[in-house]
Amino acid sequence: MTSKVVEGFSLTHAAILDGTTGAEEVDGDIYGVRSGTLAVDTGNYDNTGDDFVLSSWVWFNFATITVQAGYVPFDTIALLSGSSVVSSGTGTSDYYSLPLWEETSLNTPPKPVLLRVPARDKDGVVRNLDFVLYRVQFGPMSFDGPSYKSGLLLNYTGRAVMSDKDETGALLTRKAIGRLISRPAV
């Protein structure tokens, strides 16, 4: 029996899901994840009277994800931009090409995303902590570098918004940005 109390480490995995299969069947990896963040945009309002705070209202708007990758995965870029990878040649003469920052790549349909963090429970049992975001709208990708010793890094940024469907397209009883899963490490 494992504990419901877990501690997470660093991001090791980011995947864009296909919208029909669940987070349990990951596909579409962003390879070579170097770093990533997940931050919720929150706000609050204090209702005041007689020079005192009488009540406080809090809310969230969206969550922002950022992923920095050390590889340039052409299939993932095509998925995010709505374009196609063109290839030609065979063997060592093959090459791959796709449009870079094309006007039609803006505002592509949102995709579900999984972010995985290795974890362990309070008793030391190894787990995975998965953040599943149901509806992520990605912005244009950017590059850092190339620079000495750091190489070329690819940056993805997306905004996860409220959704009435989960990552498989099934209706939710309440709107949500995503879900958090603690599962055995495989």
Side-chain angles (χ1 to χ4, degrees), residues 2-12 115-131 180-186:
T2 60
S3 170
K4 294 180 197 169
V5 177
V6 297
E7 64 176 332
F9 301 104
S10 59
L11 176 70
T12 61
L115 301 173
R116 177 164 289 159
V117 174
R120 63 180 172 210
D121 72 8
K122 69 179 185 70
D123 297 321
V125 177
V126 178
R127 315 276 298 162
N128 281 329
L129 198 55
D130 289 346
F131 295 84
L180 183 59
I181 304 168
S182 171
R183 73 173 95 215
V186 283

Side-chain angles (χ1 to χ4, degrees), residues 1-176:
M1 186 81 156
T2 60
S3 170
K4 294 180 197 169
V5 177
V6 297
E7 64 176 332
F9 301 104
S10 59
L11 176 70
T12 61
H13 191 83
I16 299 167
L17 306 175
D18 66 10
T20 58
T21 45
E24 294 74 20
E25 302 167 41
V26 176
D27 195 17
D29 289 339
I30 297 175
Y31 296 100
V33 172
R34 179 165 296 181
S35 66
T37 61
L38 176 61
V40 65
D41 179 69
T42 62
N44 68 317
Y45 172 78
D46 290 334
N47 182 20
T48 59
D50 297 329
D51 296 326
F52 291 100
V53 175
L54 301 174
S55 64
S56 191
W57 294 87
V58 295
W59 65 85
F60 57 87
N61 298 306
F62 53 84
T64 301
I65 68 165
T66 59
V67 175
Q68 189 174 61
Y71 287 89
V72 180
F74 275 58
D75 289 335
T76 302
I77 294 169
L79 179 66
L80 292 177
S81 65
S83 60
S84 298
V85 178
V86 175
S87 64
S88 182
T90 58
T92 58
S93 299
D94 67 344
Y95 76 88
Y96 302 97
S97 172
L98 55 78
L100 183 61
W101 297 310
E102 217 175 17
E103 184 178 17
T104 58
S105 69
L106 299 172
N107 301 310
T108 57
K111 309 269 188 244
V113 171
L114 177 136
L115 301 173
R116 177 164 289 159
V117 174
R120 63 180 172 210
D121 72 8
K122 69 179 185 70
D123 297 321
V125 177
V126 178
R127 315 276 298 162
N128 281 329
L129 198 55
D130 289 346
F131 295 84
V132 181
L133 306 170
Y134 300 139
R135 187 177 166 88
V136 178
Q137 179 73 47
F138 283 93
M141 64 187 173
S142 65
F143 296 94
D144 287 343
S147 63
Y148 180 67
K149 291 190 179 180
S150 293
L152 178 70
L153 301 173
L154 183 57
N155 304 300
Y156 303 92
T157 301
R159 184 176 278 187
V161 297
M162 295 288 275
S163 177
D164 60 353
K165 296 180 182 115
D166 70 7
E167 77 275 12
T168 67
L171 286 174
L172 298 169
T173 55
R174 289 177 289 209
K175 288 184 180 180

